[in-house]
Amino acid sequence: MPVPGSEVTGVGCGLAVVRDGRLLLYRRTRAPEAGHWNIVGGKVDHMEHSRDAARREAEEETGLSFGRLDFLCLSEQIIAADNQHWLSLIYVTEDFSGEPQVMEPDKLPEFGWFTLNDLPQPLSRFTAAAAAALRAR
């Protein structure tokens, strides 16, 4: 079976978690875009709705519990340096409980809350798309 993202175009999801006008970002340690700051998210499994995948991935990566998720934007990432191609459906929420944690230290070792006018660099491509969509709201 072909590997999503590197042998065939992968379908991904992301969740822009916003609190008091700040966006939750984690720094990635693995490709694609290792070292970049990222909204939480991941791969959509076969027969899984992208909204459910975004919730699942975000809960696994942050330890938060989420309520309502709203569609934010679609992002296509073609990352030649990592031989990756993804189409990602990105959602947004301000409806969550708990405090974020480092749940996957080997993949996402640090996080922070950032205003849209002072985002850390470099940003992953789908995070840049999410930030642009958030600014346009």
Side-chain angles (χ1 to χ4, degrees):
M1 175 173 241
V3 177
S6 61
E7 295 177 356
V8 296
T9 303
V11 178
C13 60
L15 183 59
V17 181
V18 178
R19 177 173 72 185
D20 299 326
R22 294 178 179 267
L23 180 62
L24 178 64
L25 299 177
Y26 281 77
R27 187 180 53 80
R28 298 179 58 87
T29 60
R30 297 182 183 170
E33 300 182 297
H36 289 63
W37 287 87
N38 208 61
I39 59 173
V40 290
K43 181 174 69 82
V44 178
D45 292 335
H46 181 66
M47 302 303 291
E48 180 181 33
H49 191 282
S50 60
R51 184 183 322 266
D52 296 333
R55 179 185 312 279
R56 174 183 52 77
E57 290 282 356
E59 288 177 350
E60 289 172 2
E61 293 175 354
T62 67
L64 298 171
S65 295
F66 294 96
R68 181 181 170 158
L69 308 184
D70 295 311
F71 180 75
L72 179 62
C73 65
L74 176 68
S75 173
E76 182 172 19
Q77 308 94 55
I78 298 174
I79 307 162
D82 293 322
N83 191 38
Q84 296 281 314
H85 184 186
W86 291 89
L87 291 173
S88 296
L89 293 100
I90 301 174
Y91 295 86
V92 61
T93 190
E94 294 184 40
D95 184 10
F96 63 93
S97 61
E99 287 298 321
Q101 302 171 25
V102 172
M103 303 295 291
E104 299 177 344
D106 57 320
K107 292 172 31 179
L108 304 167
E110 65 180 304
F111 68 89
W113 293 97
F114 302 93
T115 66
L116 292 175
N117 294 326
D118 192 24
L119 296 173
Q121 298 297 318
L123 289 178
S124 70
R125 293 179 192 198
F126 95 140
T127 300
L134 287 168
R135 286 186 192 103
R137 288 175 61 190

